[in-house]
């Protein structure tokens, strides 16, 4: 890219890993608890998730919150040759660790714990500052983003916590193969796609925290 | 509410109308055109949609852009007794008018026109500043928001441009019955809901623009 700043302004096509996370049963939770409690737990939860994304070890970009969902990107502003899929998976594992700690804390206060599902896909997307002069946001657009969101949705049907696509498995395995197993959950039919998508559930091999 | 500012900070349960709009076939469009063109058309499109939401006649709140989708709220900061459903429907009609004008302009330049789908539901939601100290956003949470998003998705299956729920029809009809017809599209099965939802397609009766 001749002028990276210009490209950010106008949008460029680049490879990214996209992560979506979402709280299970959040709608029921939000309707059965006082709004102040919902907003407080959301704030504590989203703070932990944000810290996981922005951790210098994974160097993620917090794209946005969508209700109780978090969208994060790996790739923009990363150095050449970084293993984007491994970074996204490490971020997801960190999110789960942070959620465990938060749930233990909440339980001592008698608050409801959260459970989450996470989906990750990697591929090309249009990345840049999208929006209007008044409301501009750095984000990613395209099918790569859609599929990551669908994988997150699929965690509900497959009763999985962390699902990734085959390209993510292929890229991340070299770095993370010792600490996690990528368990084939078979081809999955995805709305709006002709071909089923092969998905992998990520399971920890060891309790130690991997480095990206 | 004793202290509205405090309630905004902590979240409060209040009635809102929620509007989602989305560009048909956007993913294919974004992959088949240069990123600069995609980002430019998005900017022009989102500027028009934002202007429709912020129009003083409807007094909407631009919640966020989600890729090519727009989420808007009607109710927060509105005066007591405002017909929130009518405002959301008027906003949707204005969005469609603005899109028509934009498409005519684009066609003179040889650019691809956009088609959109819009879904509207009204009900209670938790409304307030949700997020973290670093990234806070005024938004709405809960089932009312989810159903509005599902109605937008349903416009694809029903090949409709503007779909609303029964509560929206019931509230808006008194004000807008002369300018639009609410055409019963029957009960619709919605993922994650036991009961099907009765949906109505909004069709213009007259070419004149209604006032909220």
């Amino acid at each position: 890219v001749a002028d990276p700043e210009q490209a950010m302004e106008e949008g460029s096509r680049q490879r990214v890993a996209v992560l979506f996370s979402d709280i299970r049963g959040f709608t029921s939770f939000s309707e059965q608890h006082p709004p102040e409690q919902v907003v407080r737990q959301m704030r504590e939860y989203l703070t932990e998730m944000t810290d996981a994304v922005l951790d210098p070890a994974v160097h993620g970009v917090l794209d946005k919150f969508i209700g109780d969902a978090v969208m994060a990107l790996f790739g923009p502003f990363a150095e050449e040759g970084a293993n984007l899929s491994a970074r996204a998976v490490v971020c997801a594992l960190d999110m789960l660790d942070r959620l465990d700690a938060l749930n233990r804390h909440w339980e001592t206060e008698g608050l409801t714990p959260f459970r989450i599902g996470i989906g990750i896909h990697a591929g090309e997307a249009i990345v840049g500052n999208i929006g209007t002069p008044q409301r501009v946001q750095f984000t990613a657009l395209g099918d790569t983003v859609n599929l990551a969101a669908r994988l997150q949705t699929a965690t509900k049907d497959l009763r999985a916590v962390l699902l990734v696509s085959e390209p993510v498995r292929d890229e991340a395995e070299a770095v993370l193969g010792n600490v996690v197993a990528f368990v084939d959950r078979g081809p999955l039919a995805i709305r709006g796609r002709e071909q089923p998508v092969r998905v992998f559930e990520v399971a920890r091999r060891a309790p130690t925290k991997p480095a990206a």
Side-chain angles (χ1 to χ4, degrees), chain A residues 159-170:
Chain A
R159 297 177 183 276
V161 171
L162 173 53
L163 288 180
V164 305
S165 64
E166 195 167 8
V168 171
R169 194 275 310 253
D170 291 349

Side-chain angles (χ1 to χ4, degrees), chain A residues 11-211:
Chain A
S12 66
R13 201 163 259 128
Q14 59 176 270
R15 195 164 170 281
V16 288
V18 183
L19 177 155
F20 278 93
S21 73
D22 192 76
I23 302 170
R24 286 296 94 85
F26 179 76
T27 300
S28 309
F29 166 80
S30 75
E31 287 172 356
Q32 288 159 12
H33 294 84
E36 307 76 39
Q37 185 193 330
V38 174
V39 172
R40 182 205 138 180
Q41 284 193 250
M42 283 289 284
R43 185 169 52 238
E44 294 180 10
Y45 165 75
L46 293 173
T47 298
E48 290 297 329
M49 297 303 106
T50 301
D51 288 349
V53 172
L54 302 182
D55 188 309
V58 300
H59 208 61
V61 176
L62 179 69
D63 184 301
K64 70 173 80 64
F65 305 135
I66 309 167
D68 60 308
V70 176
M71 176 178 167
L73 306 176
F74 301 86
F77 318 115
E79 67 281 14
E80 193 75 22
N83 190 319
L84 306 178
S85 293
R87 290 186 175 190
V89 171
V90 168
C91 176
L93 297 172
D94 189 26
M95 285 175 157
L96 294 168
D97 286 340
R98 288 169 179 270
L99 180 63
D100 278 348
L102 192 57
N103 279 338
R104 284 194 299 273
H105 170 69
W106 282 343
E107 279 167 352
T108 64
E109 292 191 68
L111 297 176
T112 309
F114 286 176
R115 286 184 310 114
I116 64 174
I118 304 173
I120 302 170
H121 179 48
E124 291 223 316
I126 295 179
V127 175
N129 288 307
I130 318 277
T132 71
Q134 283 75 38
R135 179 83 71 107
V136 73
Q137 204 202 342
F138 186 81
T139 193
L141 298 173
D143 192 48
T144 296
V145 181
N146 297 348
L147 182 53
R150 303 279 198 212
L151 291 176
Q152 186 281 307
T153 303
T155 61
K156 299 174 201 172
D157 300 320
L158 296 182
R159 297 177 183 276
V161 171
L162 173 53
L163 288 180
V164 305
S165 64
E166 195 167 8
V168 171
R169 194 275 310 253
D170 291 349
E171 187 185 9
E173 202 165 35
V175 180
L176 299 178
N178 288 331
V179 283
V180 294
F182 293 89
V183 182
D184 195 339
R185 294 296 304 266
L188 188 76
I190 303 266
R191 187 195 150 99
R193 302 179 85 87
E194 285 181 28
Q195 298 293 326
V197 172
R198 204 169 156 204
V199 300
F200 296 84
E201 184 172 356
V202 179
R204 289 175 206 260
R205 283 191 203 280
T208 52
K209 207 163 143 189

